[in-house]
């Protein structure tokens, strides 16, 4: 299986080299470039240097743009989505994700802004689990628990990247090899994450992973969305979550194992509600995994987020069984973000499609164990549009 994945990656590399040379170095003007000269947005992918890590490692940033002007910038450090510019109802572009202007902010102090999270998104209680009779101890980085892959998760490593262009989309495929024993996990794990933006104004994130030993894997994307372009907090955003149940947690935010109904509680977003309307009744704010009614990208809508002031709407569909709704409770305004903006509590919210937190310790949850010889595949689509 590893061989197959390597072969597929090598084939993709060969295909991409030709494209990469012309798309990235821009040696001669393309028909699309002349369209831009005429004031028409074009599909494009380009690569620039974003900065250097303290050890000198170079970090690149890819800018993807579609025919409607939607633009995503993603860097090789943490495969982090640095910015996502989306039009409002009058066509004005605004950046709908929190982050920093420069690499330094991401390296020094990043509460997972825009990152790919792994090997295991969210918490594993006490950083321990048992698999095939063996007890594994993971790095502990959140009180006594393991969070988002540990001390140096996938959000803090430099990924390899390959741009790609297809008839209706542009993208970048990021790959990373997580070694046997990294942060305490068993087995070598090859991970590929493909970000694409389509001319239908979708940001698609697809994941593939293969391991040479059984290991827990739970990959997710950790953007903090603010559809008002960061103009105000997200308490006025309207949210719909297609989930009749959620997984209640204890004081350490570890699931109790129960799948509880949301009906009649402030957790209920089955009909659209503003986030601020009942947040005061939820101790600490929202930071919960919802059990999606239907995990199906073709027909199952997982979430819809709307900002009435800008008219921007984002719909999420996914193949994952859960979604973590985190209302930015730990943002405390101490870190100046993009343009010097101060991100206070509830300035952004995360909708992380995922398997349930602490699944390796809950046999009643859908399994997160990836077996050798199998390939994990997962897809999440963020679709943007506006309403009056
Ligand atoms: C978790 C929060 C955590 C945050 C870190 C979220 O996915 O659910 O508990 O504090 O990530 O930024």
């Amino acid at each position: 299986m590893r061989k197959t994945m390597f072969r597929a990656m090598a084939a993709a590399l060969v295909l991409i080299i030709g494209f990469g040379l012309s798309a990235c170095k821009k040696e001669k003007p393309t028909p699309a470039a002349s369209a831009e000269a005429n004031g028409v947005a074009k599909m494009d992918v380009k690569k620039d240097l974003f900065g250097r890590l303290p050890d000198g490692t170079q970090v690149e940033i890819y800018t993807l743009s579609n025919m409607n002007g939607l633009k995503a910038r993603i860097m090789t450090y943490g495969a982090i989505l640095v910015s996502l510019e989306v039009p409002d109802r009058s066509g004005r572009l605004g950046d709908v994700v929190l982050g920093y202007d420069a690499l330094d902010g991401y390296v020094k102090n990043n509460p997972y802004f825009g990152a790919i999270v792994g090997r295991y998104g969210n918490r594993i209680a006490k950083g321990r689990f048992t698999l095939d009779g063996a007890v594994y101890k993971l790095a502990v980085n959140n009180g006594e628990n393991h969070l988002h892959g540990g001390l140096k998760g996938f959000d803090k490593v430099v990924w390899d990247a390959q741009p790609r262009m297809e008839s209706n989309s542009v993208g970048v495929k990021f790959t990373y090899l997580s070694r046997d024993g990294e942060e305490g996990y068993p087995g070598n794990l090859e991970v590929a994450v493909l970000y694409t933006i389509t001319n239908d104004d979708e940001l698609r994130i697809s994941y593939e992973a293969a391991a040479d030993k059984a290991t827990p894997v739970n990959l997710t994307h950790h953007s903090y969305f603010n559809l008002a372009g960061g103009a105000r907090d997200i308490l006025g955003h309207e949210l719909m979550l297609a989930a009749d149940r959620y997984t209640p947690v204890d004081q350490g935010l570890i699931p109790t194992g129960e799948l509880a109904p949301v009906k009649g509680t402030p957790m209920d977003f089955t009909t659209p509600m503003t986030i601020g309307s009942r947040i005061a009744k939820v101790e600490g704010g929202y930071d919960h995994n919802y059990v999606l009614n239907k995990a199906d990208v073709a027909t199952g809508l997982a979430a819809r987020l709307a900002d009435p002031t800008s008219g921007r709407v984002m719909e999420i569909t996914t193949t994952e069984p859960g979604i973590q709704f985190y209302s930015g409770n730990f943002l405390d305004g101490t870190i100046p973000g993009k343009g010097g903006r101060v991100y206070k509590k509830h300035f952004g919210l995360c909708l992380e499609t995922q398997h349930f937190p602490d699944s390796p310790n809950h046999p009643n949850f859908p399994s997160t164990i990836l077996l050798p010889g199998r390939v994990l595949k997962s897809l999440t689509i963020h679709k943007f549009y506006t309403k009056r």
Side-chain angles (χ1 to χ4, degrees), residues 29-159:
T30 58
S34 49
E36 189 181 52
N38 296 331
V40 182
K42 59 163 187 139
M43 254 186 8
D44 191 27
V45 48
K46 73 179 177 72
K47 178 171 103 170
D48 294 293
L49 178 66
F50 192 52
R52 282 176 197 280
L53 296 178
D55 70 1
T57 309
Q58 198 161 299
V59 172
E60 265 109 33
I61 190 158
Y62 287 82
T63 304
L64 315 179
S65 3
N66 79 358
M67 304 268 272
N68 310 320
L70 193 135
K71 194 180 277 189
R73 288 164 65 239
I74 312 153
M75 66 162 148
T76 51
Y77 178 73
I80 288 174
L81 177 67
V82 171
S83 63
L84 180 62
E85 288 178 50
V86 176
D88 67 6
R89 65 162 72 84
S90 61
R92 227 185 350 252
L93 290 174
D95 186 357
V96 297
V97 294
L98 306 190
Y100 301 104
D101 292 323
L103 179 60
D104 190 52
Y106 289 96
V107 175
K108 285 196 180 137
N109 200 346
N110 187 16
Y112 305 92
F113 285 156
I116 291 299
V117 172
R119 195 177 287 203
Y120 197 97
N122 215 287
R123 292 175 178 78
I124 295 182
K126 300 192 171 73
R128 279 168 69 102
F129 65 93
T130 306
L131 183 58
D132 297 331
V135 176
Y136 290 92
K137 287 192 174 179
L138 303 173
V140 161
N141 61 328
N142 185 251
E144 57 176 8
N145 301 320
H146 175 88
L147 173 68
H148 292 334
L151 296 165
K152 191 173 181 189
F154 294 177
D155 58 296
K156 295 180 188 68
V157 300
V158 176
W159 297 62

Side-chain angles (χ1 to χ4, degrees), residues 9 33-34 95 116 148 165 169 186 209 231 238 249 285 302 371 381:
M9 282 175 186
S34 49
D95 186 357
I116 291 299
H148 292 334
M165 190 178 287
S169 68
E238 276 171 15
V249 286
L371 299 173
I381 302 173

